[in-house]
Amino acid sequence: MKRPKDLERYHKSGLGLISGIGKRYRYSTIDKHQRELEKLNVSQVISKALAKCYIEALFIKIELEDKSCFYIDGHLKTVWSDKNIPRGFRTTLNKTEKSLEQVLLTGGKGHPLILLTCPGDQHLTKEMFNLIDAFEGACEKAIVKVSVFDREGVSLKVFKEFDRRERCFITLLKDNQYKGLESFKIVKDFVSYEVDKKIGEIKSLIADAEIVLKDKDEDEGRRKGEKKKKLGYKIRVGLLVKDPQGMKKLIPIITNISREEETDIRKIADKYFARWPYQENIIKDMVYGVELNSNHGYKKREVENRTIIRKKEKLEENIRGLSKKLKPANKEVEDFQREIETIEQVYESRIKELKKDTNELHYKVLLSSKPKTKREHLQRLKIIEDKKLDLTKRNEKQLYLLRNKLEKKKSYRKSLISQRGNKTEELNSLDMEQKLYEILTEKDNTMSNFKLLLYNLSRYTQEQWFSPQYENATFLMMRDKFYSQDGYVKLGKRIIRVTLNPYDDDELQKNVEAACIKFNCADIRSPLGRRLEIYVELQEKTGGNPNVTKNLTF
């Protein structure tokens, strides 16, 4: 079922009987209930109650002495709306879209535990601790000892907050935060990490290293007029290298877990790479399995247009930066122009002196009657001509270099002026009266909690009653193979008996029979105290489905 309209496909009384209220589920009733659901304002209450329930039912240890991890990630849901609503950046599409952001926390074995629905322009760094606080508030205990997240959460402010809370994090360094192997200080040399067991080939190496990240925060006590003092934030790095022979691909995994707490850097890398089976694949499974991408509720409220304000502030900052760069650029152009003028003046003055000496020597040569004296004058004349030629060559070379530099500086200045003009034009064209709307997320958050509940119920079913081979099966596979099987139900005063039609596949039949035996032994009861039993018909019984209405009784 994807929409309330799909209720029309079900038997008129069936769902009502199973729920215990005895009344028919109607499309119009459910649709109206969903539209009015947000008036209850219970999404946070449901989130906390379910989170506590998951901890108890899914056997997640409260005391995490082994530093078990919790995984945090953001998930964008595209929203189709004519209104101007906040946009989120989709990395895979390399563009921004009107959207909602869902920040999700999953357990160390991949159970989704709690989520927050936020406007699309909210960043993981801003919502991460709100999510952790909400989860720990529900559990009434500080249990999130280690948080694992992707590069979206990389921020020195986030790292410092983890340090302040005395919690640990594991994430990945951004590409622009290091230049290569030389950026890291190796503390413990490279050891093998991933090995092909069949041929014994080493696929990757890992070293325990550290790096000092630049911190632009200023000292609070610095004197007025003093230059900014850049502080360093030293952090531990699990430096993974793919292609060990070429030492080409670096994967720097960073953490604040000390070497005293965990000596083996490989275990920290294992926790980070577990993001894929325990977080990324879980979110993908929920998107396709329980329609996590669907939106519920499109009511909006007008808010301060923080998007246009951020654009304005960014443009003003860019203009200030360009103006600041223009001052030294103008000075450099003027300095080069003065230097060129000075060189030209010195050259003209020197050439004028040499020309004067040349004219005097020519005059002396004409007046001289002695051959020896005449030869001396001619030799001096040749020397002066050589000087003039050498001076001209050196002057032309010097001027050529200076004029090239001047042209580059002028081009740079022109670029700055052009950029400043474009930014100024963009700033002036901003529509400061533009309205921004936020989608009210109360209903969406409530419905998303129900989706998490459905998904965790499936995971609980797989872990408790099905064989181990189905423990990591996707929700879609479980739905298509097991949950969608037809059958009928008999309701008695003490027992609700569900009978499934037989399966065509022998292996599926055996697996479901075994799961039914385990389920029936668990003595599961309805809220009214009636025992719930599930059976599957034997494969020999064929010939079509029984009359469902005949088996439905009060």
Side-chain angles (χ1 to χ4, degrees):
M1 228 177 48
K2 295 182 179 180
R3 302 180 65 84
K5 187 71 176 175
D6 295 337
L7 284 168
E8 301 298 329
R9 295 190 293 108
Y10 286 84
H11 184 269
K12 293 182 179 180
S13 304
L15 293 177
L17 290 171
I18 292 174
S19 68
I21 62 174
K23 297 180 181 179
R24 174 187 174 184
Y25 274 99
R26 300 178 62 89
Y27 157 63
S28 57
T29 305
I30 294 298
D31 185 61
K32 182 181 178 183
H33 173 67
Q34 280 195 341
R35 284 187 276 110
E36 295 181 346
L37 188 61
E38 59 190 335
K39 295 180 182 179
L40 294 175
N41 198 28
V42 293
S43 65
Q44 292 185 5
V45 177
I46 292 175
S47 291
K48 291 180 179 180
L50 288 176
K52 190 173 183 179
C53 174
Y54 298 149
I55 288 291
E56 296 171 356
L58 299 172
F59 305 104
I60 297 173
K61 294 179 181 179
I62 296 294
E63 296 295 339
L64 300 172
E65 297 176 357
D66 60 342
K67 294 285 184 183
S68 297
C69 296
F70 289 85
Y71 297 90
I72 301 173
D73 198 9
H75 164 67
L76 282 175
K77 303 197 302 180
T78 301
V79 177
W80 306 102
S81 175
D82 294 332
K83 297 287 187 181
N84 179 37
I85 65 173
R87 294 173 173 266
F89 181 75
R90 285 187 172 272
T91 307
T92 52
L93 301 176
N94 196 29
K95 66 176 183 179
T96 59
E97 286 185 342
K98 295 176 181 178
S99 57
L100 288 173
E101 171 92 1
Q102 285 188 320
V103 187
L104 186 69
L105 184 143
T106 57
K109 295 299 180 183
H111 300 97
L113 301 174
I114 195 169
L115 61 75
L116 296 177
T117 306
C118 325
D121 61 342
Q122 291 296 90
H123 201 269
L124 182 62
T125 55
K126 296 180 180 178
E127 296 298 333
M128 187 183 302
F129 293 107
N130 293 337
L131 185 69
I132 292 173
D133 292 341
F135 178 64
E136 292 186 337
C139 302
E140 299 177 350
K141 194 163 187 178
I143 64 174
V144 184
K145 306 295 184 183
V146 182
S147 300
V148 182
F149 47 89
D150 61 11
R151 290 174 176 173
E152 187 184 350
V154 172
S155 165
L156 288 185
K157 289 183 179 179
V158 171
F159 298 165
K160 290 178 180 179
E161 180 63 19
F162 273 109
D163 292 342
R164 188 189 68 79
R165 294 182 177 214
E166 296 182 351
R167 309 292 180 85
C168 299
F169 64 84
I170 303 172
T171 185
L172 200 64
L173 203 62
K174 291 181 179 179
D175 292 337
N176 61 358
Q177 292 180 302
Y178 66 96
K179 294 180 179 179
L181 196 61
E182 63 275 8
S183 300
F184 303 93
K185 179 184 177 183
I186 307 298
V187 178
K188 292 183 181 179
D189 207 0
F190 286 96
V191 294
S192 60
Y193 178 67
E194 187 180 2
V195 180
D196 190 327
K197 295 181 180 179
K198 291 183 179 180
I199 60 177
E201 181 184 354
I202 297 175
K203 290 187 173 182
S204 60
L205 300 172
I206 191 169
D208 197 340
E210 58 186 31
I211 189 173
V212 178
L213 301 177
K214 291 183 179 178
D215 187 352
K216 297 181 180 179
D217 292 341
E218 297 178 17
D219 285 340
E220 294 181 2
R222 68 183 179 88
R223 296 186 301 275
K224 188 177 180 180
E226 187 178 343
K227 292 182 179 180
K228 285 185 179 180
K229 183 178 180 181
K230 292 184 179 181
L231 306 174
Y233 184 86
K234 185 184 289 187
I235 195 165
R236 189 182 182 189
V237 183
L239 193 58
L240 190 73
V241 178
K242 295 280 188 180
D243 185 16
Q245 295 179 351
M247 299 290 280
K248 292 179 180 178
K249 188 176 180 181
L250 294 179
I251 303 176
I253 301 164
I254 56 176
T255 182
N256 65 340
I257 299 175
S258 67
R259 293 180 180 88
E260 289 75 20
E261 293 175 295
E262 179 55 73
T263 57
D264 192 351
I265 194 67
R266 289 174 292 190
K267 291 184 179 180
I268 292 174
D270 289 342
K271 292 179 188 295
Y272 179 78
F273 289 120
R275 276 187 60 241
W276 276 263
Y278 296 148
Q279 182 191 62
E280 299 288 345
N281 293 346
I282 298 301
I283 292 176
K284 188 185 294 183
D285 192 17
M286 286 194 291
V287 167
Y288 294 110
V290 296
E291 303 287 335
L292 191 64
N293 263 351
S294 299
N295 295 297
H296 301 274
Y298 288 90
K299 286 186 179 180
K300 305 171 185 69
R301 63 177 178 182
E302 185 179 341
V303 294
E304 182 184 35
N305 197 338
R306 58 180 178 273
T307 305
I308 205 76
I309 291 173
R310 279 200 295 261
K311 280 185 180 179
K312 180 175 179 290
E313 290 174 349
K314 188 175 181 180
L315 286 169
E316 288 174 343
E317 184 180 353
N318 288 340
I319 291 169
R320 286 194 298 270
L322 291 168
S323 298
K324 190 176 179 180
K325 290 179 180 178
L326 262 174
K327 290 180 180 179
N330 285 328
K331 187 176 182 304
E332 286 177 343
V333 168
E334 292 171 0
D335 290 344
F336 275 116
Q337 287 174 337
R338 279 196 297 269
E339 188 176 356
I340 289 171
E341 288 175 3
T342 302
I343 290 172
E344 287 177 341
Q345 288 174 1
V346 170
Y347 171 74
E348 291 295 334
S349 174
R350 185 61 182 149
I351 287 293
K352 190 175 180 180
E353 291 177 0
L354 291 173
K355 280 184 178 181
K356 183 179 178 182
D357 293 342
T358 302
N359 291 336
E360 289 178 356
L361 284 172
H362 276 296
Y363 182 71
K364 289 179 180 179
V365 168
L366 291 173
L367 295 178
S368 177
S369 57
K370 296 180 179 180
K372 184 179 178 181
T373 306
K374 194 170 185 177
R375 282 196 303 271
E376 290 175 356
H377 291 327
L378 288 172
Q379 287 175 355
R380 287 180 62 195
L381 190 62
K382 187 177 181 306
I383 292 171
I384 291 173
E385 289 296 334
D386 290 341
K387 282 183 179 180
K388 282 171 63 177
L389 185 61
D390 182 59
L391 181 63
T392 301
K393 286 181 179 179
R394 284 191 286 109
N395 184 70
E396 287 178 352
K397 184 178 180 180
Q398 191 175 11
L399 288 176
Y400 174 77
L401 294 173
L402 286 173
R403 282 170 181 154
N404 277 345
K405 290 181 180 179
L406 177 61
E407 287 303 317
K408 288 180 181 179
K409 294 297 179 183
K410 282 183 176 180
S411 177
Y412 174 64
R413 182 179 66 174
K414 185 178 179 181
S415 172
L416 291 176
I417 293 171
S418 175
Q419 289 180 52
R420 187 175 66 174
N422 292 337
K423 296 294 182 184
T424 303
E425 186 178 347
E426 190 177 348
L427 178 63
N428 294 333
S429 65
L430 287 179
D431 182 9
M432 300 306 296
E433 301 299 321
Q434 185 186 48
K435 295 180 179 180
L436 181 70
Y437 297 88
E438 275 186 1
I439 291 179
L440 299 175
T441 58
E442 173 66 23
K443 180 180 178 181
D444 192 271
N445 210 38
T446 302
M447 297 303 296
S448 296
N449 274 302
F450 292 148
K451 292 176 183 180
L452 256 65
L453 175 59
L454 176 59
Y455 187 82
N456 279 322
L457 283 171
S458 177
R459 291 288 301 271
Y460 183 82
T461 301
Q462 292 167 239
E463 295 167 5
Q464 294 298 310
W465 299 307
F466 278 87
S467 59
Q469 71 184 90
Y470 293 103
E471 187 172 339
N472 295 318
T474 65
F475 182 89
L476 280 177
M477 193 272 275
M478 296 297 295
R479 184 194 70 186
D480 295 341
K481 283 192 174 183
F482 302 112
Y483 306 152
S484 60
Q485 185 73 356
D486 291 331
Y488 57 93
V489 61
K490 285 185 177 181
L491 280 84
K493 292 182 179 180
R494 297 182 180 179
I495 297 176
I496 301 173
R497 178 172 296 175
V498 177
T499 305
L500 301 176
N501 291 342
Y503 289 82
D504 295 331
D505 186 275
D506 292 341
E507 186 180 355
L508 287 180
Q509 178 79 12
K510 291 178 181 178
N511 288 329
V512 175
E513 288 175 354
C516 289
I517 292 171
K518 290 182 181 179
F519 179 85
N520 295 334
C521 290
D523 193 26
I524 306 298
R525 296 185 178 273
S526 73
L528 297 178
R530 285 187 285 190
R531 176 183 167 87
L532 180 60
E533 296 179 352
I534 304 178
Y535 299 92
V536 59
E537 287 186 345
L538 299 177
Q539 287 180 313
E540 293 79 27
K541 294 183 179 181
T542 58
N545 295 339
N547 187 346
V548 177
T549 58
K550 184 179 178 181
N551 292 284
L552 288 171
T553 57
F554 288 93

